Amino acid sequence: GQNIDQPTEMTATEGAIVQINCTYQTSGFNGLFWYQQHAGEAPTFLSYNVLDGLEEKGRFSSFLSRSKGYSYLLLKELQMKDSASYLCAAKDSNYQLIWGAGTKLIIKP
Amino acid sequence: ETGVTQTPRHLVMGMTNKKSLKCEQHLGHNAMYWYKQSAKKPLELMFVYNFKEQTENNSVPSRFSPECPNSSHLFLHLHTLQPEDSALYLCASSQTTGTGSTEAFFGQGTRLTVV
């Protein structure tokens, strides 16, 4: 079957760095997405990786290893507004998105 | 503001009621989706429309009935729902390309409570 695994919840300190991991098992692979979702709001697109390596976008970076079925989202210089759920989703051979349950990130002062 | 608007934001309905959720996208996309989001569970894809044609129905009970009158509007008609149908219902849109589709843009969702 197809599956996405990510931690349910993580806690980090304001100003620090946090890495949210995601492992995936899909029938074929056509890229991996990260979304951010604040409570009561729409998920918003953060990043897309289809090739191995690190994609940096400001304070957020996303890494992909296709051979390991693994990705992570790296958040630097954490701010209180980064408290949210982070959703990992992989696109399978039919271009369907397979979603993880999300990682709730709690930022403490 | 994501360019995808859902109404209503909140809905409480009885098990014998009939109601509809509405979604409108202003992005010129050709694909629209309904997702169900329950607490601590992955997003569940319910329906997919490409160019107004339904291309995906993930074994959704018939008490959920989608309608896509044009590529900018999507409805989800609800009738005789069960309490376990209480969840956040998200609409999304994307642009279908030759190699799949672009990232999805989501609406803020309708928080549905079935009593």
Side-chain angles (χ1 to χ4, degrees):
Chain A
Q2 307 199 94
N3 192 54
I4 303 281
D5 282 317
Q6 53 180 130
T8 303
E9 187 173 298
M10 298 181 71
T11 302
T13 305
E14 190 177 16
I17 299 173
V18 70
Q19 178 175 309
I20 303 174
N21 296 324
C22 170
T23 57
Y24 63 88
Q25 293 173 305
T26 55
S27 302
F29 179 76
N30 282 295
L32 188 129
F33 293 83
W34 284 97
Y35 281 78
Q36 180 190 60
Q37 185 178 21
H38 286 100
E41 296 185 14
T44 54
F45 170 76
L46 287 177
S47 68
Y48 172 67
N49 295 66
V50 67
L51 300 176
D52 285 353
L54 187 69
E55 296 274 347
E56 297 186 70
K57 196 184 290 186
R59 293 188 299 114
F60 292 9
S61 302
S62 56
F63 171 83
L64 176 68
S65 169
R66 294 177 64 139
S67 62
K68 296 181 179 178
Y70 167 71
S71 172
Y72 67 72
L73 181 69
L74 190 71
L75 292 75
K76 302 177 183 177
E77 301 168 19
L78 286 170
Q79 302 176 9
M80 297 304 291
K81 67 178 182 180
D82 298 329
S83 292
S85 287
Y86 291 86
L87 310 179
C88 172
K91 194 172 278 190
D92 68 11
S93 57
N94 294 320
Y95 298 98
Q96 294 289 5
L97 280 174
I98 311 301
W99 293 86
T103 298
K104 182 178 180 181
L105 177 63
I106 300 168
I107 309 297
K108 295 187 174 180
Chain B
E1 181 59 51
T2 63
V4 182
T5 304
Q6 287 186 245
T7 55
R9 292 291 306 279
H10 301 273
L11 178 62
V12 179
M13 60 186 288
M15 289 189 282
T16 58
N17 291 158
K18 288 185 180 181
K19 297 287 184 183
S20 295
L21 310 185
K22 179 183 176 182
C23 176
E24 183 175 359
Q25 58 99 355
H26 309 278
L27 302 168
H29 289 163
N30 53 28
M32 296 188 76
Y33 312 78
W34 280 117
Y35 282 92
K36 176 182 178 183
Q37 187 176 37
S38 302
K40 299 184 179 180
K41 290 185 178 180
L43 283 172
E44 298 174 45
L45 179 64
M46 300 174 72
F47 301 104
V48 181
Y49 278 82
N50 276 286
F51 297 97
K52 302 188 298 179
E53 298 296 321
Q54 187 179 127
T55 56
E56 194 82 25
N57 176 340
N58 279 350
S59 304
V60 180
S62 60
R63 57 186 184 269
F64 294 92
S65 174
E67 179 190 358
C68 188
N70 56 61
S71 58
S72 298
H73 293 85
L74 186 64
F75 295 90
L76 188 62
H77 303 299
L78 316 171
H79 63 100
T80 59
L81 294 192
Q82 304 298 311
E84 59 265 28
D85 297 322
S86 298
L88 182 68
Y89 289 84
L90 290 164
C91 173
S93 72
S94 69
Q95 184 65 20
T96 300
T97 67
T99 55
S101 64
T102 63
E103 69 271 23
F105 290 77
F106 286 85
Q108 291 183 296
T110 296
R111 173 67 63 185
L112 174 67
T113 304
V114 181
V115 297

